[in-house]
Amino acid sequence: MALSYQQAKLVKDTVPALRDHGEQITTTFYKNMLRDHPELNNYFNSVNQKNGRQPRALTSVILNFASNINNITELIPKFERMCNKHCSLGIRPEHYEIVGKYLLMAFGEVLGPAMTPAVFAAWERAYWILAKMLIGREAQLYKDFEKWTSWRKFKIDRVVPEAEDVHSFYLVPQDGKKLPKYFPGQYVSLRIHSPEGYMQARQYSLSEAWREDYYRISVKRDEGARYANSVSKSYFHPGLVSNMLIDHMAAGSTVELSHPSGDFFLDVNNASNMPLVLISAGVGVTPMVAIANTVVKTQPSRPISWIHGSRRTVPFEQHIAMLRRTHPNFRTNIFKTDLANNDVVGVTYNYDFRMNLAQVSSDDLYLGNSGTEYYICGPEQFMMEMSDYLKSQGVGAARVRFELFSTGDLAFKHT
Ligand SMILES: Cc1cc2nc3c(=O)[nH]c(=O)nc-3n(C[C@H](O)[C@H](O)[C@H](O)COP(=O)(O)OP(=O)(O)OC[C@H]3O[C@@H](n4cnc5c(N)ncnc54)[C@H](O)[C@@H]3O)c2cc1C
Ligand code: HEM
């Protein structure tokens, strides 16, 4: 049921107070919810809880929703990333009951006496309007997943090193059945048992064009945070899942995957023949390999320009070089900062500095073509710099897509 005019006003009036206390709300919300429902630890990434990224992401959507309560249809496209993530993690309608209860309780704790019964009732209704929109979209996505809507066991068939600390895992379903199609650029969630006793899931982009017999992901070791002023190169908080996979999950081990998901993809069902510019840094190369491999197979004449930046080694370096040699419409520009003795300009790299799109010829960026599509993946600061440059060249939001290897909103907008 829609909010009355009076209820919409009550919700909006409380937004500034809730915004001011965002951190407190989310801390209270998750602390209480996970205390009473410890089974939900199997769904949440414990690191994003500790660093506050996930609580912030949730509150930001709710407050944004409340602030735009009279124009919610405009927000719908922004829910796509979140709904895909939810489905990839197996979030169900019944979970919304629990989240709603603890979220409203947290609002009450923060607002104190200002949370009158009328304000509570208005917020409850607002929450359920939002929740129903998400549940509805998630039901559609689950329908597309057909029978695979929960975790499916896969055997690691092979592990192949791709570059310094990036390893590809070839994953074969244990049930021996054919694997469903996905759009290149999408990811799977992979979950393992954590030493803390819960399951922990992480997302990994599929790094190969679709095949029915195996999926491939390519994982970079997350060394952790470097001690400040450390000369010993020692790290703390090494990444849980990436290190576990690389160090302990050899061929023959079993992992669990969810159905491919994600809103960062090339729509192969409605493919145009416009030039594609793929811009990646570090392990952000993974969805690009899937996109490039799909396009060279299905649209061999479609122009692709791949611009990549790495510190030392480029994952899939040989493969990218092979694509360049064998496909006349495939161009590359490689930036490397720490050159090795065997690096050769024009062969293994083009520029020995951090990626700077202004150095790339406008032909390779296809700036002269108003239909060019841009796909960008890498650290957030990197994507912001790429976005700024493309904006300065008049490339509008509709033609640029970003993939963030983390949770929550991008810290910038490409408008
Ligand atoms: C859509 C998507 C696609 C992705 N695709 C890929 C891909 O193709 N390849 C790939 O390698 N990765 C990919 N990722 C990233 C991946 O999901 C994981 O985030 C990554 O592997 C790190 O996970 P982890 O468990 O190893 O590290 P985590 O344990 O999650 O730790 C992450 C970071 O937090 C720090 N940390 C941990 N605990 C604490 C603490 N208590 N206090 C402070 N800091 C802490 C760690 O030092 C580490 O740097 C993708 C992510 C998304 C969202
Ligand atoms: C109206 C209700 C909800 C809102 C507004 C919301 C919002 C969000 C947002 C913004 C993200 C981050 C998506 C991304 O950018 O990657 C997210 C992720 C997530 N949500 Fe929700 N969510 C809601 C309900 C739920 C429910 C009911 C559950 C289940 C208990 C849930 C569990 C999760 C999990 C596990 C993640 C991934 C967290 C991570 O990787 O750190 N959410 N949600």
Side-chain angles (χ1 to χ4, degrees), residues 312-330:
R312 283 182 291 275
T313 48
V314 177
F316 306 100
E317 188 166 39
Q318 301 293 329
H319 179 72
I320 297 169
M322 183 277 289
L323 291 177
R324 189 179 53 227
R325 276 195 313 275
T326 53
H327 292 80
N329 287 332
F330 192 92

Side-chain angles (χ1 to χ4, degrees), residues 47 202-205 218 220 222 224 237 239-242 286 405:
V47 175
R202 300 288 184 269
Q203 290 68 47
Y204 292 102
S205 304
S218 306
K220 180 178 185 320
D222 191 329
H237 292 315
L240 175 73
V241 177
S242 60
T286 52
F405 278 5

Side-chain angles (χ1 to χ4, degrees), residues 26-137:
T26 52
T27 318
T28 310
F29 159 64
Y30 278 106
K31 193 178 79 210
N32 292 344
M33 184 175 77
L34 295 175
R35 179 198 60 215
D36 294 351
H37 292 275
E39 74 283 1
L40 292 180
N41 283 301
N42 291 312
Y43 293 87
F44 286 98
N45 175 328
S46 63
V47 175
N48 287 336
Q49 291 297 318
K50 286 177 195 141
N51 65 21
R53 250 197 109 100
Q54 171 54 24
R56 274 198 298 278
L58 175 118
T59 315
S60 145
V61 171
I62 290 185
L63 295 183
N64 199 1
F65 172 78
S67 315
N68 292 287
I69 199 89
N70 299 324
N71 297 306
I72 48 178
T73 43
E74 281 174 26
L75 294 173
I76 291 174
K78 297 194 179 157
F79 297 158
E80 210 41 30
R81 178 179 160 92
M82 170 185 12
C83 292
N84 273 274
K85 186 72 83 59
H86 282 161
C87 291
S88 167
L89 290 164
I91 305 305
R92 301 279 160 193
E94 53 274 23
H95 290 130
Y96 282 85
E97 298 274 354
I98 305 173
V99 164
K101 173 176 161 193
Y102 286 90
L103 194 67
L104 291 171
M105 264 167 54
F107 282 8
E109 275 189 52
V110 174
L111 288 177
M115 191 75 159
T116 61
V119 176
F120 185 91
W123 261 108
E124 193 174 33
R125 194 167 280 184
Y127 170 81
W128 277 106
I129 292 172
L130 173 60
K132 283 188 177 152
M133 286 165 73
L134 304 187
I135 292 169
R137 176 65 186 128

Side-chain angles (χ1 to χ4, degrees), residues 173-197:
Q174 273 191 355
D175 57 24
K177 294 194 177 137
K178 285 185 188 168
L179 290 168
K181 287 198 169 151
Y182 55 82
F183 291 111
Q186 289 192 301
Y187 59 80
V188 285
S189 286
L190 175 152
R191 72 171 193 176
I192 57 169
H193 288 277
S194 88
E196 287 168 9

